[in-house]
Amino acid sequence: MIYDSTCTGAPSLPGLSHAWWTGGLLYRALGRIDRFEGFADWPSALRWLAEVEPDRPIAEIQLWCHGKWGKALLDRRPLDAGALRPTHPYHGMLRAIRDRLVGPEALWWFRTCETFGALPGHRFAREWTDYFGCSAAGHTYIIGAWQSGLHRLAPGAPPDWPATEGLKAGTPDAPSKARHSHPFAPHTITCLHPAPP
């Protein structure tokens, strides 16, 4: 699991990075993840995923950071489907990560706000799963303790959730505001849920 280490909050108050670090400790203690690390930029985070314990295959990757439709954000910088292009600076690291995955049963889980929402989220989910040849999971709502709009997509499959799910303002083509998660929203889990259904 990797998380954004830059969301530290005000000098006297904890930020989301503290919550993600605490969650990583808890998940590690419960045996839900093997390793976790915080990063301030994508090159460092992706290099770590590609190189840490290089002899071990990877079954699951969780990203705990901010997100928007069709992207994950680390220190406000995007990781999106553009990174899958051979000319992108991140492509070599993503290819190395792909080579370490256990195969079609592997999983990328974007525990990020609205990454799978609206049509940009649909496109991202399809391109990501097709490139890595494994499933990916992501959310269509703003997430916190409640994490709504969780969907899992297999490579080659079309998204089967509405492009309007989690959308509060804008259109599926041009989303502008997402809804907050709540226990009665579709496909809701809590932050303590260990795996997507």
Side-chain angles (χ1 to χ4, degrees):
M1 182 268 274
I2 62 172
Y3 69 93
D4 186 341
S5 64
T6 68
C7 299
T8 53
S12 60
L13 296 171
L16 277 174
S17 294
H18 299 96
W20 291 327
W21 175 80
T22 302
L25 282 179
L26 176 62
Y27 268 48
R28 179 78 188 265
L30 293 172
R32 295 177 179 175
I33 56 174
D34 295 320
R35 307 259 325 229
F36 73 100
E37 195 72 41
F39 294 95
D41 61 78
W42 284 117
S44 300
L46 297 175
R47 191 174 304 109
W48 183 78
L49 285 172
E51 297 175 358
V52 67
E53 298 186 44
D55 297 329
R56 296 185 66 190
I58 299 173
E60 181 177 329
I61 296 168
Q62 292 193 25
L63 304 181
W64 293 19
C65 54
H66 293 292
K68 278 302 201 187
W69 301 280
K71 62 186 82 167
L73 301 169
L74 202 153
D75 193 24
R76 298 178 298 280
R77 294 181 182 92
L79 176 68
D80 56 24
L84 305 176
R85 310 294 181 262
T87 55
H88 196 281
Y90 302 166
H91 182 260
M93 290 174 279
L94 291 171
R95 186 178 61 241
I97 295 166
R98 182 181 65 183
D99 292 344
R100 294 191 60 192
L101 296 175
V102 296
E105 63 273 18
L107 174 69
W108 281 83
W109 188 355
F110 293 88
R111 291 191 98 158
T112 56
C113 296
E114 75 232 32
T115 297
F116 274 20
L119 289 176
H122 280 200
R123 288 190 290 272
F124 173 78
R126 289 191 80 159
E127 291 188 51
W128 200 264
T129 55
D130 288 347
Y131 178 81
F132 284 98
C134 69
S135 294
H139 300 266
T140 59
Y141 281 68
I142 297 169
I143 65 171
W146 294 105
Q147 300 182 351
S148 300
L150 173 60
H151 297 279
R152 185 175 182 148
L153 188 70
D160 62 356
W161 59 93
T164 55
E165 185 181 278
L167 195 59
K168 186 172 185 178
T171 66
D173 275 320
S176 60
K177 191 171 185 180
R179 297 183 183 280
H180 285 271
S181 295
H182 59 86
F184 305 109
H187 305 275
T188 297
I189 62 169
T190 73
C191 61
L192 300 176
H193 220 87

